[in-house]
Amino acid sequence: KRQRYVEKDGKCNVQHGNVRETYRYLTDIFTTLVDLKWRFSLLVFILAYAVTWLFFGLIWWFIAYCRGDLEHLEDHAWTPCVNNLNGFVSAFLFSIETETTIRYGHRVITDKCPEGIVLLLLQAILGSMVNAFMVGCMFVKISQPNKRAETLVFSSHAVVSLRDDRLCLMFRVGDLRDSHIVEASIRAKLIKSKQTQEGEFIPLDQTDLSVGFETGDDRLFLVSPLIISHEIDERSPFWDVSRHQLEKDDFEIVVILEGMVEATGMTCQARSSYLADEVLWGHRFPPLLSLEEGFYEVDYGGFHHTVPVPTPACSARQLAAAAARRDAHLYWPIPS
């Protein structure tokens, strides 16, 4: 069974190994944290605050210990650095109150502690930086547009049939949400290994499949499900492929739908793929739209359905040659 390059849900089935320049991930730490799995992101989120609170709590306790505040707990004439700080636990709690600006009012810094004032300013600044960084990471991770791609659906099969007497490779795309994808565009690529005339083997070579780039048909108004068509002409890699050859061939068609999310303005990309055994020769997609009273209704229950239709089993080249011979006989009568 052929190994997929892109899964049906759009996940790229490629893993990077033997990456030696791992330091490059740390140069863009923000993207690295956003790309982490949720369990690791939550772990980093918790550790960032916990380590900061513990670190400054230890410093507050150390200042109190060095000044002798812990030895004069019952001495009311003694002015400590932080009132009511009697140990590491209370120093840790004071660190939390300072960084989160809770301010319960029980522990408060005095004006007789210049080193404490400097530490207070440092913790306030550093705490604001930690808040901005971690909250920003979590917000970007929650609002990632790839979740919008979950409601962009592709048909489970692609089909090959005639359209206006020409063989076409077709698949269907749809959007399950009422909010639209703005400036939506579609692309398709053929993934297939090949060997050049010089003997070079190219694994998983990528070839563009035209889905209307020249005519602008690749720009979609995706309000209702659309059938995307690739006309098999002399520029198509399927020009010489017949039904029998298609059943024995080994390839993968990757389709990519891109656009901006109307609600957020972020760019969204949805992907899917079709193996050779997922391309049905001699089928087409039935319509899903029906006209109701005052609106059009889309029946997504038949989104993946196909129906068989009469389709020549020959290749597009053979079909074009037969049509040319038929036209020659029509306009230039040839004696038998």
Side-chain angles (χ1 to χ4, degrees), residues 254-266:
V254 176
V255 293
I256 305 168
L257 176 63
E258 293 180 325
M260 289 189 300
V261 182
E262 187 179 38
T264 62
M266 295 184 178

Side-chain angles (χ1 to χ4, degrees), residues 2 246-247 249-252 274-280:
R2 178 185 173 90
L246 181 69
E247 294 173 351
D249 210 343
D250 185 18
F251 61 84
E252 182 176 354
Y274 303 98
L275 298 180
D277 56 357
E278 295 172 342
V279 179
L280 305 179

Side-chain angles (χ1 to χ4, degrees), residues 108-301:
V108 60
I109 190 171
T110 63
D111 57 357
K112 303 298 183 181
C113 183
E115 61 272 23
I117 296 175
V118 174
L119 181 61
L120 179 66
L121 295 176
L122 181 62
Q123 184 173 5
I125 295 174
L126 185 60
S128 299
M129 295 174 61
V130 171
N131 285 333
F133 189 81
M134 298 310 303
V135 172
C137 285
M138 297 303 293
F139 174 77
V140 172
K141 191 170 182 64
I142 292 173
S143 61
Q144 276 184 309
N146 56 0
K147 298 302 180 183
R148 177 64 174 87
E150 299 292 336
T151 53
L152 297 174
V153 292
F154 298 85
S155 58
S156 57
H157 291 82
V159 298
V160 176
S161 60
L162 289 175
R163 263 194 174 186
D164 297 327
D165 292 333
R166 296 185 179 182
L167 278 178
C168 294
L169 172 71
M170 294 170 285
F171 56 92
R172 181 142 58 188
V173 298
D175 187 1
L176 302 180
R177 286 190 180 273
D178 292 331
S179 60
H180 303 152
I181 296 294
V182 182
E183 295 292 332
S185 62
I186 191 76
R187 291 182 292 148
K189 286 186 174 293
L190 175 67
I191 310 295
K192 184 178 181 181
S193 301
K194 76 170 186 178
Q195 190 168 6
T196 64
Q197 297 179 0
E198 294 77 16
E200 178 188 4
F201 178 73
I202 304 177
L204 303 179
D205 181 62
Q206 300 184 12
T207 305
D208 280 331
L209 298 179
S210 176
V211 288
F213 177 76
E214 297 84 358
T215 60
D217 291 338
D218 63 324
R219 314 293 294 184
L220 308 179
F221 183 49
L222 196 58
V223 178
S224 61
L226 300 176
I227 297 176
I228 310 302
S229 176
H230 163 66
E231 182 180 333
I232 303 178
D233 52 16
E234 59 274 4
R235 296 173 298 175
S236 172
F238 296 106
W239 177 242
D240 293 311
V241 177
S242 64
R243 178 173 185 173
H244 180 66
Q245 292 171 322
L246 181 69
E247 294 173 351
K248 299 189 301 181
D249 210 343
D250 185 18
F251 61 84
E252 182 176 354
I253 299 173
V254 176
V255 293
I256 305 168
L257 176 63
E258 293 180 325
M260 289 189 300
V261 182
E262 187 179 38
T264 62
M266 295 184 178
T267 302
C268 172
Q269 184 181 95
R271 298 179 294 266
S272 187
S273 68
Y274 303 98
L275 298 180
D277 56 357
E278 295 172 342
V279 179
L280 305 179
W281 191 288
H283 285 68
R284 72 180 178 192
F285 295 105
L288 303 178
L289 277 177
S290 61
L291 179 59
E292 303 297 332
E293 186 176 354
F295 62 93
Y296 291 95
E297 183 178 1
V298 180
D299 180 15
Y300 277 97

